Amino acid sequence: ESAVLPNVVSPVNLEISNIGNKVIQNMKIVNVISNVYTSLDTPVNVGQIGIGESKSAVLNILLSNQTLSYLPLPISLSYSTDGVERFETFQVSIREQGTPEFRLSKISTDPSSLYADEKENRIDVEITNIGFSAYDINAKVILPDGFKSSWSDSDSYYLSRLLSQEAIQGSFYVDIDESVEPRNYPISIDIVTGNYSQRLDLNLLVSSKAKFELIDVDDSRLYPGAVNVQAQVTLKNVGTEIAETTTTKLVGGNTIPGVRSSGITSVGNEEDLGSILPGQVFVTTFLVNLDKTHPTGKQSATMEVRWTQDEDDAFLQTIIVPYSVSAGPPYLLYVEG
């Protein structure tokens, strides 16, 4: 592969090998068949090439300024074997000499809104090369505090080449820590190709959302053998947004399983709470069953809070709920069946 500059006469070094089983005679480089490249010295006599032998030749090539694109150089050859005249055209790889220049064409994220304490957020960028063609390109995103790559190498990608005036889309995956405040955050993309490097700057907006905090747990009705007793959990929306279509649920597999009641549809192992305003304190009530062999003392269960914002964005927050099981009243009688 040879390198050329537009509007400059550039030497292209050729090596021609005879990989056949007959001697090549009267080898000539006849012409360059292209309206982009012009050969200044064809035809060029190469002469005889024995079996397994190679010969070198140099063509002085002028690249038109009509294009900076990567185009092969079509070279027409003539030669004879056993007295038979033959013609062939070969494509020779050409690249331009010069500096690329990268521009961010498009930026988008999936999901469209980014929030703290969310994982595997995808950042899609479209990068256009408005300069010379670039080869062996490495791009890496530089993240601020509170952001990190979702997994190994999710903050970088490799591209074998990006031609002049060509655009390519790359994706990065990042996790956002729960401590990140809602605002714009500057991030950068470092691009390295050969000895050339360039930094592209962009901003990511982290939006605000609802957030729930455990205030209190009423576990006074819990004892071994309790059936359909209430366990009440008090929560507060400490975020800055309204939580819509909010539901709370005791996760299956906990040692304190929730049950549903046909008579009380608002409680059970899941409760529908509707909209919760910022700063609002509310109580969610579950009906639970405890086996009579259930251990007493301090334990914990897991509760899921699900909600939506702006109709499209759905969220899940898991809250650990500590509770205590008392020994129960001394007169309690257990009856089988």
Side-chain angles (χ1 to χ4, degrees):
E1 186 177 70
S2 298
V4 298
L5 279 169
N7 297 318
V8 174
V9 177
S10 304
V12 175
N13 298 308
L14 303 174
E15 183 175 288
I16 304 171
S17 300
N18 181 1
I19 60 174
N21 56 9
K22 294 183 179 181
V23 175
I24 293 176
Q25 298 171 331
N26 302 320
M27 167 70 75
K28 291 182 181 180
I29 301 174
V30 179
N31 202 358
V32 170
I33 308 172
S34 173
N35 58 0
V36 175
Y37 302 104
T38 302
S39 171
L40 303 184
D41 45 13
T42 50
V44 174
N45 289 316
V46 180
Q48 180 173 299
I49 306 178
I51 299 171
E53 291 182 350
S54 299
K55 281 195 175 181
S56 298
V58 177
L59 288 183
N60 290 304
I61 296 296
L62 178 64
L63 171 63
S64 165
N65 63 355
Q66 297 175 357
T67 179
L68 292 176
S69 299
Y70 176 96
L71 293 173
L73 175 66
I75 296 177
S76 176
L77 301 177
S78 69
Y79 61 93
S80 62
T81 55
D82 296 335
V84 179
E85 192 77 10
R86 304 180 188 276
F87 294 88
E88 290 190 48
T89 299
F90 294 87
Q91 303 284 348
V92 177
S93 295
I94 291 292
R95 60 181 175 85
E96 304 88 29
Q97 288 180 337
T99 301
E101 187 175 352
F102 303 105
R103 290 288 185 271
L104 280 173
S105 312
K106 295 179 184 178
I107 305 170
S108 61
T109 61
D110 186 14
S112 57
S113 297
L114 302 181
Y115 300 93
D117 200 24
E118 297 295 325
K119 311 297 183 184
E120 297 184 11
N121 300 279
R122 193 178 77 207
I123 304 171
D124 295 324
V125 295
E126 185 178 88
I127 298 174
T128 301
N129 179 12
I130 63 172
F132 288 88
S133 299
Y135 303 84
D136 295 325
I137 306 162
N138 289 282
K140 182 178 177 64
V141 64
I142 309 301
L143 300 170
D145 292 341
F147 295 73
K148 65 178 182 179
S149 57
S150 298
W151 59 83
S152 176
D153 296 330
S154 72
D155 59 349
S156 60
Y157 70 89
Y158 170 80
L159 184 65
S160 61
R161 75 183 187 194
L162 187 61
L163 308 183
S164 178
Q165 307 304 320
E166 186 179 19
I168 191 70
Q169 180 171 291
S171 297
F172 307 97
Y173 291 83
V174 300
D175 295 346
I176 305 177
D177 191 79
E178 63 179 352
S179 63
V180 171
E181 297 292 333
R183 62 178 176 86
N184 270 308
Y185 288 86
I187 72 171
S188 301
I189 300 174
D190 280 350
I191 302 178
V192 178
T193 169
N195 295 324
Y196 177 80
S197 63
Q198 184 179 342
R199 172 165 288 190
L200 304 176
D201 296 318
L202 61 147
N203 288 314
L204 288 183
L205 174 63
V206 176
S207 301
S208 56
K209 68 175 181 178
K211 185 178 181 181
F212 297 96
E213 184 178 279
L214 180 67
I215 302 298
D216 187 40
V217 178
D218 181 359
D219 53 11
S220 59
R221 302 174 184 84
L222 302 183
Y223 58 86
V227 177
N228 284 15
V229 297
Q230 291 186 355
Q232 294 183 325
V233 180
T234 303
L235 301 173
K236 181 180 180 179
N237 180 1
V238 296
T240 57
E241 299 293 328
I242 299 175
E244 302 168 334
T245 61
T246 309
T247 61
T248 55
K249 180 179 181 179
L250 278 176
V251 179
N254 282 314
T255 57
I256 177 171
V259 296
R260 284 196 174 278
S261 167
S262 58
I264 311 175
T265 57
S266 62
V267 293
N269 71 326
E270 184 172 343
E271 186 172 12
D272 185 359
L273 299 169
S275 295
I276 307 296
L277 300 175
Q280 181 177 344
V281 177
F282 60 98
V283 176
T284 178
T285 303
F286 303 102
L287 290 180
V288 298
N289 287 342
L290 273 73
D291 190 89
K292 65 181 181 181
T293 62
H294 193 95
T296 60
K298 295 181 179 180
Q299 297 159 63
S300 65
T302 304
M303 182 177 66
E304 291 181 346
V305 184
R306 296 180 183 270
W307 74 97
T308 60
Q309 288 180 202
D310 301 325
E311 298 182 357
D312 295 328
D313 296 330
F315 301 94
L316 164 66
Q317 183 179 343
T318 300
I319 298 175
I320 303 300
V321 179
Y323 67 94
S324 182
V325 176
S326 64
Y331 54 82
L332 192 64
L333 175 65
Y334 297 103
V335 178
E336 296 288 344

